[in-house]
Amino acid sequence: LFPSHVISDQYATKKVLTKDGDVYTGILVKTPKGVAVRVNENKEFVVPEDQIDQVQSSKSSVMPAGLLDSLTPSEIRDLMVYLGYVPAEKMAQEKPSAVRR
């Protein structure tokens, strides 16, 4: 519901500032050629380590906020049950309007 509230280290993004003044934000992956900054599944930038000026932690998640905004309370309830966050037995006792976004 709130992607940037708690971000796992596995998915934490970083800002890489280069000596040339370029800024790349994404997930860092070490490679033999330097540091690859994955912006998304199809795009990454390789920055040689000697060109990196600074690496900063980013406080925002790569997952966009508001993904559930278009869902109804019943759909959100079904999703939470499917993901295993709430036992189906407990949700069956509650009315859909009792689920808060």
Side-chain angles (χ1 to χ4, degrees):
L1 296 177
F2 306 102
S4 295
H5 182 67
V6 176
I7 303 171
S8 167
D9 289 341
Q10 183 179 0
Y11 301 107
T13 58
K14 305 281 186 189
K15 288 183 185 179
V16 176
L17 301 123
T18 67
K19 293 179 180 176
D20 296 335
D22 295 325
V23 178
Y24 301 99
T25 302
I27 296 175
L28 301 189
V29 180
K30 294 265 185 186
T31 69
K33 297 179 182 177
V35 175
V37 182
R38 284 207 179 122
V39 177
N40 60 39
E41 289 181 20
N42 301 319
K43 192 171 192 178
E44 70 180 25
F45 298 95
V46 177
V47 181
E49 290 196 44
D50 62 344
Q51 293 299 312
I52 296 174
D53 183 41
Q54 196 175 26
V55 177
Q56 299 174 340
S57 295
S58 177
K59 296 188 189 282
S60 60
S61 171
V62 291
M63 180 182 288
L67 289 176
L68 300 182
D69 289 353
S70 64
L71 300 179
T72 67
S74 293
E75 291 169 330
I76 294 171
R77 180 193 64 212
D78 293 343
L79 177 62
M80 293 298 130
V81 170
Y82 176 76
L83 294 174
Y85 289 121
V86 180
E89 302 79 37
K90 181 178 182 210
M91 291 306 283
Q93 298 168 0
E94 295 184 17
K95 295 180 183 177
S97 60
V99 178
R100 305 257 192 270
R101 286 196 220 194

